[in-house]
Amino acid sequence: MDMTKKYGSNGYELRKAAGLYWLLDLHRSGEHYKPPLAMNEMGAEIFKYRQLGDNEEEIIRKIGSEYDADVETVKRDVTSFLKKLKEYETE
């Protein structure tokens, strides 16, 4: 998945800067500004898959395949990150 380009929908935009990926909430500005959420490359991939409509199980399968990682570790990481994304979006 190309991580060098901006990616966004539903009022969010993902950008890469300073070696990290940053999720920007474009709904908020001015006095309601919300700081961007920093994430690593795997977090950015999880976000992109979710934006494309993949469910949690599909994301776990894709991330596990890409990183050739232990399924339980991937499941824990994906589930944890999706929870963090949900919290960020509802702040």
Side-chain angles (χ1 to χ4, degrees):
M1 198 171 275
D2 184 2
M3 295 293 185
T4 60
K5 296 181 182 178
K6 295 188 296 182
Y7 182 90
S9 67
N10 300 330
Y12 293 94
E13 187 170 89
L14 188 62
R15 295 185 183 178
K16 184 175 182 182
L20 290 173
Y21 294 88
W22 302 89
L23 183 61
L24 307 172
D25 183 348
L26 303 179
H27 296 290
R28 308 250 180 126
S29 63
E31 64 186 69
H32 299 291
Y33 171 77
K34 179 169 43 172
L37 176 65
M39 63 186 77
N40 61 19
E41 185 174 336
M42 185 182 294
E45 287 185 45
I46 294 168
F47 171 77
K48 289 178 182 184
Y49 287 136
R50 196 192 63 172
Q51 292 296 95
L52 292 170
D54 290 346
N55 65 35
E56 187 171 339
E57 292 303 316
E58 291 168 327
I59 294 170
I60 291 167
R61 183 181 49 75
K62 288 178 179 181
I63 294 292
S65 175
E66 286 179 37
Y67 287 89
D68 192 29
D70 173 67
V71 175
E72 288 304 312
T73 301
V74 171
K75 184 175 182 178
R76 182 185 65 239
D77 291 349
V78 168
T79 300
S80 175
F81 189 75
L82 288 173
K83 181 180 176 185
K84 181 185 274 191
L85 276 177
K86 186 174 182 176
E87 291 169 359
Y88 179 77
E89 293 170 344
T90 58
E91 287 180 344

